[in-house]
Amino acid sequence: LGGWDVELIAAVTWPLGAVFLCACMVLVGELLHAYQDGLLQLRRLAKILNNAVHNAMPSMLMITFLLLPTTSVRIFLTFLCDTFGFNDGDDVQRRYHHVDYALDCDSDKYSQTR
């Protein structure tokens, strides 16, 4: 689908999307509950939002707790490079990304990703 940089961006942003979706679902539930009770008024909107955040917090923390290890590993793998020595008489060593050997760790693209 893409290179390492695209995978890294996806790995970091989709948990945020999951937390946002969870918060939106709880907010919609709170608004529907207030509407059914006939309490949906502008002056109560702050209380409804406060209740939604309060009720969504355990789910958001659980999502964060479950996704933090895999996301952190993916982020830290960005800095890991493997060094290879070539036996061609130059004694030149080249560094390549641990996960994607197509990415040279001394290239500008890798520098931008870091």
Side-chain angles (χ1 to χ4, degrees):
L1 182 70
W4 172 252
D5 51 348
V6 174
E7 290 180 21
L8 180 64
I9 291 169
V12 171
T13 55
W14 85 266
L16 297 175
V19 168
F20 180 74
L21 181 65
C22 176
C24 287
M25 288 174 27
V26 170
L27 177 61
V28 167
E30 288 289 327
L31 288 172
L32 286 175
H33 181 68
Y35 180 74
Q36 288 173 350
D37 291 344
L39 301 174
L40 189 57
Q41 299 170 356
L42 289 178
R43 64 175 189 235
R44 285 197 25 92
L45 191 57
K47 184 170 175 39
I48 291 170
L49 289 174
N50 188 24
N51 285 343
V53 169
H54 186 270
N55 291 337
M57 195 60 67
S59 299
M60 291 189 308
L61 288 175
M62 179 61 78
I63 291 170
T64 304
F65 176 76
L66 292 174
L67 298 177
L68 182 67
T70 56
T71 304
S72 298
V73 166
R74 172 91 47 171
I75 291 169
F76 289 130
L77 282 176
T78 302
F79 305 107
L80 186 60
C81 292
D82 294 334
T83 304
F84 296 100
F86 292 97
N87 196 9
D88 57 359
D90 293 9
D91 290 334
V92 175
Q93 291 188 342
R94 296 220 168 106
R95 299 179 324 128
Y96 292 99
H97 196 264
H98 181 74
V99 177
D100 184 8
Y101 282 147
L103 184 58
D104 187 355
C105 288
D106 297 321
S107 68
D108 290 336
K109 184 178 179 181
Y110 177 74
S111 298
Q112 291 173 354
T113 304
R114 285 185 70 193

